[in-house]
Amino acid sequence: MAPSELGRPAHPSGRIVLAATPIGNLGDASARLRDLLAEADVIAAEDTRTARHLCQALGVSATGRFLAHHEHNEEASARGLLEQVRAGATVAVVSDAGMPTVSDPGYRLVAAAVAEGLDVTCAPGPSAVTTALALSGMPTDRFAFDGFLPRKDGDRRRRFEEIRTDPRTVVYFESPQRLTDALAVLAETLGAQRPVCVARELTKLHEEVVRGTAEEVLAWARERAAGEGIRGEIVLVVGPASATEGAEEVSEADAVAEVGVLVASGTRLKEAVAAVAGAHGLRNRDLYQAVLADRAG
């Protein structure tokens, strides 16, 4: 059996390293990322200007060549990069932010390298998908990432129909300009009480996480859109169908108790209420009033 069939590289002299870059806060750049950018023979970047700016911001003096590797040239670029690896080069693959191949270029290169038995490894780091999931307050034991939502309402509706009874939490990317329309279709398709979380500008200065039912988050989006507008990078997290169904079985007293546990652990009251309400398909306002009444009683 050939070494590549055993999962070992047939060309150990060169390798591809998928390198996660900060999604906002430069402090999230790992020491391994800094070393890789400084030492790689080739830096294959979604945007070479962004990659150069990142190196400058991190104080890294890159000695390798910067090559463009993006969705419009990925197939042709991959062939050249594989030649570099065969010749013994270390090729660092970076996207503008987050993990390459996750709604970013890199998949075709990795697939071709794996098929050929070339060495592929990863320098893990920031990811908007898992960051939003962790902050959502929704179940994380089973989840799916479904990329960018379609632009048209009909296509979005069909996409949401696919998860109507899905027992997993589902994560999407969406543009700020289309978020309100997407939430309106979501509420109509999955129901006003479906738990939803919008994570905006993750790890950046103006990070904002909005949790609640589809109805509540849609109301927030409409108000924001009519006022200062919705800006920045958006991650949309949709709770599992089971969370909405389970709301009928959760008593108000139990929900209030869950809020108390979160507050005791250091979570702010409003955030705790939003997390518990979202997990059980309850209205934030109703649960908040119940918590205040319990405290006063």
Side-chain angles (χ1 to χ4, degrees):
M1 182 177 291
S4 60
E5 295 176 22
L6 292 171
R8 297 192 297 270
H11 304 267
S13 56
R15 61 176 182 156
I16 293 168
V17 185
L18 303 172
T21 55
I23 60 176
N25 192 320
L26 289 176
D28 294 332
S30 68
R32 188 176 175 191
L33 172 64
R34 294 170 189 266
D35 291 343
L36 181 64
L37 291 173
E39 300 169 2
D41 299 298
V42 178
I43 298 174
E46 184 177 7
D47 187 320
T48 56
R49 293 167 301 179
T50 301
R52 290 180 187 277
H53 290 157
L54 175 63
C55 288
Q56 184 178 17
L58 295 178
V60 172
S61 297
T63 57
R65 290 177 296 157
F66 288 82
L67 296 177
H69 183 69
H70 48 71
E71 61 178 333
H72 303 296
N73 77 339
E74 189 171 4
E75 186 173 350
S77 174
R79 291 195 295 269
L81 293 173
L82 291 176
E83 289 180 7
Q84 302 271 355
V85 176
R86 293 189 206 101
T90 293
V91 175
V93 181
V94 296
S95 64
D96 288 346
M99 178 60 67
T101 77
V102 181
S103 280
D104 280 323
Y107 163 72
R108 291 181 180 179
L109 176 63
V110 172
V114 170
E116 194 171 325
L118 298 173
D119 189 7
V120 181
T121 188
C122 181
S127 168
V129 175
T130 52
T131 301
L133 177 68
L135 288 174
S136 70
M138 297 181 196
T140 59
D141 54 335
R142 298 180 64 192
F143 73 93
F145 171 59
D146 212 9
F148 280 92
L149 283 167
R151 293 173 176 267
K152 297 181 179 179
D153 279 357
D155 294 333
R156 276 193 292 243
R157 182 170 283 101
R158 282 187 287 274
R159 185 73 65 86
F160 288 138
E161 285 284 359
E162 293 173 358
I163 67 165
R164 178 185 290 278
T165 59
D166 199 319
R168 302 169 300 175
T169 300
V170 183
V171 184
Y172 301 96
F173 288 159
E174 183 56 290
S175 77
Q177 294 78 17
R178 296 193 297 269
L179 178 62
T180 303
D181 291 340
L183 288 169
V185 175
L186 186 156
E188 180 183 339
T189 307
L190 302 179
Q193 297 304 304
R194 191 69 168 249
V196 170
C197 172
V198 169
R200 189 181 70 85
E201 291 290 86
L202 287 171
T203 78
K204 300 182 179 70
L205 179 62
H206 300 292
E207 175 179 288
E208 183 176 20
V209 181
V210 181
R211 308 175 184 87
T213 65
E215 178 182 46
E216 291 167 338
V217 177
L218 173 58
W220 163 84
R222 284 174 170 163
E223 181 178 356
R224 177 65 66 85
E228 63 187 88
I230 302 174
R231 300 180 181 87
E233 308 244 339
I234 301 291
V235 184
L236 175 63
V237 185
V238 181
S242 57
T244 305
E245 294 163 2
E248 298 177 359
E249 302 173 5
V250 175
S251 69
E252 182 178 275
D254 287 341
V256 169
E258 287 186 35
V259 171
V261 170
L262 289 177
V263 170
S265 67
T267 305
R268 291 188 298 178
L269 177 59
K270 287 188 177 181
E271 293 179 354
V273 168
V276 173
H280 298 301
L282 304 174
R283 293 175 62 88
N284 279 18
R285 183 172 55 188
D286 294 344
L287 180 55
Y288 186 75
Q289 293 298 326
V291 170
L292 293 182
D294 181 71
R295 290 184 170 188

